Amino acid sequence: TQVSAYRPCPKCGKIKVPYPLRTDENCGDPRYRIYCNNGALEFMSASGFYYKILSINPKANKLIIKPPLIQENTCYSSDLDQGGLMLDENLPFNISTRNTVMLFNCSDNILLSPLNCSSSSFCREFEEVGEGCGCKGTLCCHFLKDSSMTSHRIRARLGGCTAYTCVVDKKPDEPLESWNFGIELQWLPPF
């Protein structure tokens, strides 16, 4: 059984599943569990919410998950009931420092934080298009997830901020059309 544990898992849809990621009992490492549901790879949060995996970079030990949808005509993330994205701190995954997080529909308490809630915040650009339109005119902020912050959660809650999205490796003055929407997670190697 130990030999089979080092086997990479079969592809899921078009995405290769590199070791140590695991989609079933016969491959990968049990601590690196992800899910293959109808040809789509998914990552499950500590609260049981599934996020679609958009890409995997095995050399960098990173994967990118799709941010939750912001429900139409509301400014609520689809994972609001779960409190946003929460990772299990006992598993080898965390949120990388290349994520620019945008929070929407925030309470005034956020103004006491060091986040950028000004009229030049990136969140103002996002409010102008598609999914972000339901958040137009709400208090919004953005921040670069850094190593001093908890690397296991992006919080969404009533009385706080009810919606969020995320862009990986955002460059200053980069136009919205070229933003790489996603939440980059990294994993510690198993050895």
Side-chain angles (χ1 to χ4, degrees):
T1 57
Q2 216 156 17
V3 174
S4 69
Y6 290 103
R7 287 187 19 215
C9 294
K11 277 170 97 169
C12 178
K14 293 183 174 153
I15 301 181
K16 283 186 180 173
V17 180
Y19 184 84
L21 301 178
R22 175 184 221 172
T23 54
D24 70 44
E25 302 306 310
N26 301 318
C27 60
D29 182 311
R31 296 172 305 146
Y32 297 82
R33 184 79 167 107
I34 57 175
Y35 298 84
C36 185
N37 293 325
N38 300 320
L41 265 182
E42 295 179 327
F43 181 88
M44 187 176 72
S45 70
S47 61
F49 192 88
Y50 289 89
Y51 298 84
K52 182 176 184 195
I53 296 174
L54 301 174
S55 65
I56 299 173
N57 180 342
K59 286 185 172 61
N61 296 339
K62 293 180 177 177
L63 57 87
I64 295 176
I65 59 175
K66 185 176 180 167
L69 287 172
I70 295 176
Q71 295 165 1
E72 200 173 343
N73 301 323
T74 73
C75 193
Y76 290 173
S77 288
S78 55
D79 62 358
L80 178 64
D81 290 349
Q82 282 79 24
L85 172 63
M86 192 166 32
L87 306 182
D88 184 334
E89 293 186 36
N90 298 312
L91 294 178
F93 294 96
N94 64 46
I95 300 167
S96 91
T97 56
R98 294 179 354 121
N99 292 294
T100 297
V101 180
M102 289 172 270
L103 303 171
F104 300 93
N105 197 23
C106 299
S107 72
D108 289 345
N109 297 343
I110 197 104
L111 298 173
L112 303 172
S113 73
L115 310 184
N116 180 341
C117 304
S118 71
S119 58
S120 64
S121 174
F122 303 138
C123 61
R124 294 291 167 212
E125 288 178 67
F126 181 73
E127 289 178 331
E128 297 301 320
V129 295
E131 209 181 318
C133 290
C135 295
K136 197 173 176 97
T138 69
L139 178 54
C140 73
C141 309
H142 83 265
F143 63 95
L144 181 64
K145 195 95 172 136
D146 72 29
S147 54
S148 69
M149 298 174 180
T150 171
S151 57
H152 292 95
R153 102 176 290 175
I154 298 174
R155 197 164 182 183
R157 63 187 176 87
L158 294 171
C161 302
T162 62
Y164 69 95
T165 195
C166 196
V167 178
V168 179
D169 202 22
K170 167 115 178 52
K171 309 276 190 287
D173 303 322
E174 184 178 32
L176 185 110
E177 304 79 55
S178 59
W179 289 6
N180 181 17
F181 285 95
I183 304 168
E184 186 180 74
L185 305 181
Q186 57 195 10
W187 69 82
L188 297 167
F191 318 109

